[in-house]
Amino acid sequence: MALLRRRRELSTLRTEESRTRCRLTIITVCCAVVVLTTLIVGLYYTVKVINTKFFYCSGSLRFVAIEKVCDGKADCPDGEDELVCVSKLRINGTFPVRLVGDRLVLQVFINDGGWKTVCADNWKTKHTRLTCQQLGFTLSPRSTRIPLKSVLIPSLLNAFGIVSTESNNTDIQSFITASEKCVSGSVVSLSCSDCGETAGLDRIVGGVNTEIVQWPWQVSLQWNQQHMCGGALLSTLWIISAAHCFTGRTRERLWSVVMGQTELGNVKGVTVDTIVVHKDYSRLSNDFDVAMVKLTWPVKLKESILPVCLPPYQLSVKDMLVVTGWGLLKENGQMPSILQKALVPLIDKSECSKTSVYGPAITPRMLCAGFIEGNVDACQGDSGGPLVYLSSRWQLMGVVSWGVGCAREGKPGVYTDVTQLLNWIYTVMEMNT
């Protein structure tokens, strides 16, 4: 009996020792995990702080003060610190392709001949595809024929261009020659992408909550993962926004684009490859307040991520426009977590240019929208976002630019007039595709 009792005591002792070792192992592993996690988190925030203070020259393994990056001088031996910066572009020529009016009638610019409305004579599918590629689009190129008698803009019927030659060039104007007649009696209407369509029905100050599927082109431009400005998706590669969003934030690698989200949470954005700001942009006058952002890779389109249409020339606006964004709900107020929308009317330029409103501050590259009595307006955080109009499809009429305060009486919102900068927009997309 004594021997049996001794064996039991030894067994119990071994069990206790085993449990103690197990507990010690668990405690050791937990401590190791905590220490490792602390080190990783600490390293992450250390790197983040360093990135805000210094630029790492990977070619020479040295650091450069952040103030010296994008200052026009190469501080890294290979100039690496000047290769990650916002670029500027001014164009002096005429982009040779444009769409005109509600029917999207195609015109081509012929040197020494001016603008010619493209007749449907000899027009083929390859010409449609080539023209859309020249406009910077590759998605769903298609064209239709419009009878001359249904064209309501007389200036489109003054001079024609027809396909009369074959060419190995990649520009449509090399196929077109001037003609006094259009034998087929029809002109070409062009559509280059599945844009301006939404899956939804049809805070901004005075706005209401909305959903991204109703405005699937709306994006958030984020600097260091913080929302700074809005933007609008134009194609699978290109975003349009405001030039002033990038003032003082010229390092492309710190920008990202979040899309397809109604609420801005902790969502990882698409990285940015190139940012192009209009070279004539002025911080003093806010003139030419437009920028183009190229994504690192094409985005996959879906119900909540779709491009908006660029407007044609001479589009007649008859109804309300819509502005969307995550900007402040009131002047000096809070930023909403949910996307906001507001309906605003277009204000005649002569009204907006009155001394009591904005006077000579309104340039030909600007338009005004909102209410003279105030109450509804874009605000801080909405900058760069889209002002859209529903014609046959949703079309981008303006980019949120500036204003005095938010929703103040007599001070409506001022937007970059997209129709006045189509030449620049198309040129940027063509040059960088």
Side-chain angles (χ1 to χ4, degrees):
M1 288 294 290
L3 181 60
L4 180 59
R5 187 165 53 252
R6 180 61 178 168
R7 287 177 178 174
R8 287 175 180 173
E9 289 175 352
L10 288 173
S11 177
T12 302
L13 183 60
R14 291 193 189 101
T15 301
E16 287 297 327
E17 290 177 349
S18 177
R19 288 175 179 172
T20 301
R21 285 196 298 269
C22 184
R23 281 194 291 267
L24 287 173
T25 301
I26 292 173
I27 291 171
T28 302
V29 170
C30 289
C31 289
V33 169
V34 170
V35 170
L36 184 60
T37 302
T38 302
L39 288 173
I40 292 173
V41 172
L43 180 62
Y44 170 79
Y45 283 105
T46 300
V47 170
K48 197 168 184 179
V49 170
I50 290 175
N51 281 336
T52 63
K53 302 293 183 181
F54 300 96
F55 176 82
Y56 178 64
C57 304
S58 58
S60 58
L61 306 179
R62 56 177 287 193
F63 288 92
V64 172
I66 197 67
E67 294 80 10
K68 294 184 178 181
V69 177
C70 301
D71 62 354
K73 299 177 182 179
D75 296 291
C76 293
D78 56 359
E80 186 181 350
D81 56 310
E82 297 301 315
L83 299 177
V84 295
C85 310
V86 171
S87 57
K88 296 182 179 181
L89 175 68
R90 178 195 294 125
I91 59 170
N92 297 318
T94 300
F95 193 80
V97 181
R98 71 182 187 185
L99 306 177
V100 184
D102 296 355
R103 303 294 296 274
L104 305 179
V105 176
L106 174 63
Q107 284 196 314
V108 171
F109 188 85
I110 301 176
N111 289 335
D112 302 324
W115 288 105
K116 307 295 182 183
T117 302
V118 178
C119 179
D121 297 1
N122 305 322
W123 186 264
K124 299 178 182 178
T125 301
K126 68 175 183 179
H127 301 126
T128 299
R129 184 170 59 252
L130 186 66
T131 307
C132 285
Q133 288 175 350
Q134 195 168 345
L135 286 168
F137 301 101
T138 57
L139 186 66
S140 303
R142 55 191 182 275
S143 61
T144 57
R145 295 171 175 243
I146 298 178
L148 291 175
K149 61 183 179 181
S150 66
V151 177
L152 302 179
I153 302 176
S155 61
L156 294 179
L157 307 178
N158 291 337
F160 297 102
I162 61 170
V163 176
S164 61
T165 59
E166 285 298 320
S167 174
N168 293 322
N169 295 339
T170 57
D171 53 87
I172 190 61
Q173 62 268 28
S174 64
F175 291 81
I176 304 295
T177 57
S179 175
E180 295 181 357
K181 296 181 180 180
C182 182
V183 177
S184 65
S186 298
V187 293
V188 176
S189 171
L190 194 68
S191 177
C192 290
S193 67
D194 290 330
C195 62
E197 296 179 344
T198 66
L201 301 172
D202 175 310
R203 201 119 18 190
I204 293 205
V205 179
V208 295
N209 290 352
T210 188
E211 296 181 357
I212 196 67
V213 291
Q214 296 182 19
W215 320 103
W217 43 82
Q218 173 77 54
V219 306
S220 166
L221 289 174
Q222 303 199 350
W223 171 262
N224 262 341
Q225 301 178 349
Q226 295 293 318
H227 172 79
M228 288 293 166
C229 283
L233 185 70
L234 293 182
S235 71
T236 56
L237 270 178
W238 285 100
I239 307 290
I240 188 171
S241 190
H244 77 261
C245 292
F246 304 99
T247 300
R249 303 183 185 95
T250 54
R251 293 175 61 193
E252 291 170 337
R253 67 173 61 178
L254 293 182
W255 283 99
S256 61
V257 180
V258 172
M259 56 190 77
Q261 301 294 315
T262 297
E263 297 187 53
L264 290 182
N266 188 21
V267 181
K268 187 176 181 180
V270 180
T271 55
V272 169
D273 177 76
T274 306
I275 299 173
V276 184
V277 171
H278 201 294
K279 198 172 181 74
D280 291 327
Y281 166 64
S282 168
R283 292 178 62 182
L284 295 176
S285 66
N286 296 301
D287 204 5
F288 294 94
D289 190 10
V290 64
M292 295 287 287
V293 178
K294 186 180 180 182
L295 303 175
T296 304
W297 60 82
V299 66
K300 291 184 179 180
L301 302 181
K302 55 183 180 180
E303 184 180 77
S304 60
I305 303 176
L306 293 171
V308 66
C309 299
L310 283 168
Y313 290 82
Q314 299 183 31
L315 176 67
S316 56
V317 176
K318 302 172 184 176
D319 299 312
M320 287 282 214
L321 296 89
V322 179
V323 59
T324 51
W326 291 276
L328 303 184
L329 295 175
K330 65 179 181 178
E331 193 171 338
N332 300 319
Q334 294 182 334
M335 185 174 291
S337 60
I338 298 176
L339 182 65
Q340 303 286 298
K341 73 167 184 179
L343 275 66
V344 290
L346 186 66
I347 297 176
D348 190 89
K349 190 162 290 188
S350 61
E351 178 73 18
C352 200
S353 299
K354 286 182 177 179
T355 307
S356 59
V357 187
Y358 289 122
I362 302 300
T363 74
R365 272 73 53 185
M366 301 175 187
L367 61 83
C368 297
F371 300 90
I372 295 297
E373 61 270 25
N375 299 323
V376 179
D377 194 8
C379 202
Q380 284 82 13
D382 291 318
S383 290
L387 176 73
V388 295
Y389 172 71
L390 182 59
S391 181
S392 55
R393 296 184 179 190
W394 286 102
Q395 295 169 327
L396 182 70
M397 300 303 297
V399 172
V400 178
S401 181
W402 65 280
V404 174
C406 301
R408 292 186 186 181
E409 183 178 356
K411 301 297 178 184
V414 183
Y415 300 78
T416 303
D417 189 342
V418 173
T419 62
Q420 298 299 313
L421 292 164
L422 288 172
N423 198 45
W424 183 85
I425 293 167
Y426 283 127
T427 300
V428 171
M429 289 197 291
E430 183 187 45
M431 290 177 61
N432 292 275
T433 299

